[in-house]
Amino acid sequence: MSSYADDLALAHLLADTADSISMARFRSLDLTIESKPDLTPVSDADTAVEQAIRATLARARPRDGVIGEEFGSSTAPAGQGNRHWVIDPIDGTKNFIRGVPIWGTLIALMEGERPVAGLVSAPALGRRWWGAIGHGAYAGKHQRAATRLSVSAVRDLGDASFCYSSLPSWEQAGYLAPMLDIMRDSWRGRAFGDFYGYMLLAEGALEVMVEPELSLWDVAALIPIVTEAGGVFTDLTGQRAPGDGSAIATNGHLHEEILSRLARGKTILAG
């Protein structure tokens, strides 16, 4: 039960550094913004946060590799092992550069292909979420002010809050029709993009969060938090995430229904 305690403590220290850098640049008038080759934005805060986290990891975990959104994959200074950290310095960069406070730093530890510990820090919201295999999932301002998380017990889609990233992305993936059907049958549908919908799911504030396209750094930190809170996290094929770059996260009770409805809708569209 204590195998990842030191790693979670380190993740909190990394998040402290990230928060101090990102908050200093949030809503600053001289923020530098560029477009990456995929036309997504990157700010000077994104790069500064990732550089700082990498520097600390090189000292504190020299046998662990690092994968980051801005600087890719790097081999551990002491030689590559089975463990690597996955970093999204600012998840929700578009929110960040527009002054919307829903953005955060995502820090995950993976052993092989399995995310075993994750932390999400959203300093503009004054909140963190973290979890590790065998440790449970928690939220609060810091480790000493934490509440254990648990997903909801809702079992009927008609009583459920359904959360998604954006409808255009689902339309491009060929799932618009089943998405609209699920939204009509849900008690409530809302689009909380990036990490936030998954954290609300872990808190029991909603029942389903889905995205059709994700990178490893978008999702690795979220998986231990959601699953340790009692949820289920797979890709669109039902494979346990990180999977193929998509995500269906639920409170568990609704998972097979959401998987089935999306799969049927996709088959109809493809046929």
Side-chain angles (χ1 to χ4, degrees), residues 157 162 175-186 261 265:
L157 186 60
F162 177 74
Y175 289 93
L176 182 59
M179 280 288 292
L180 292 175
D181 285 341
I182 293 170
M183 291 169 65
R184 293 186 189 102
D185 292 342
S186 300
R261 291 179 65 147

Side-chain angles (χ1 to χ4, degrees), residues 206-265:
L206 56 85
E207 284 66 52
V208 182
M209 173 65 189
V210 294
E211 286 190 87
E213 185 177 3
L214 292 163
S215 296
L216 180 61
W217 46 78
D218 296 317
V219 71
L222 312 178
I223 296 169
I225 301 172
V226 169
T227 56
E228 284 295 303
V232 175
F233 207 126
T234 72
D235 63 17
L236 283 165
T237 71
Q239 178 182 341
R240 297 286 170 164
D244 68 355
S246 59
I248 297 178
T250 74
N251 66 350
H253 301 299
L254 297 167
H255 205 85
E256 291 304 318
E257 180 177 356
I258 298 299
L259 269 174
S260 175
R261 291 179 65 147
L262 288 172
R264 287 200 310 268

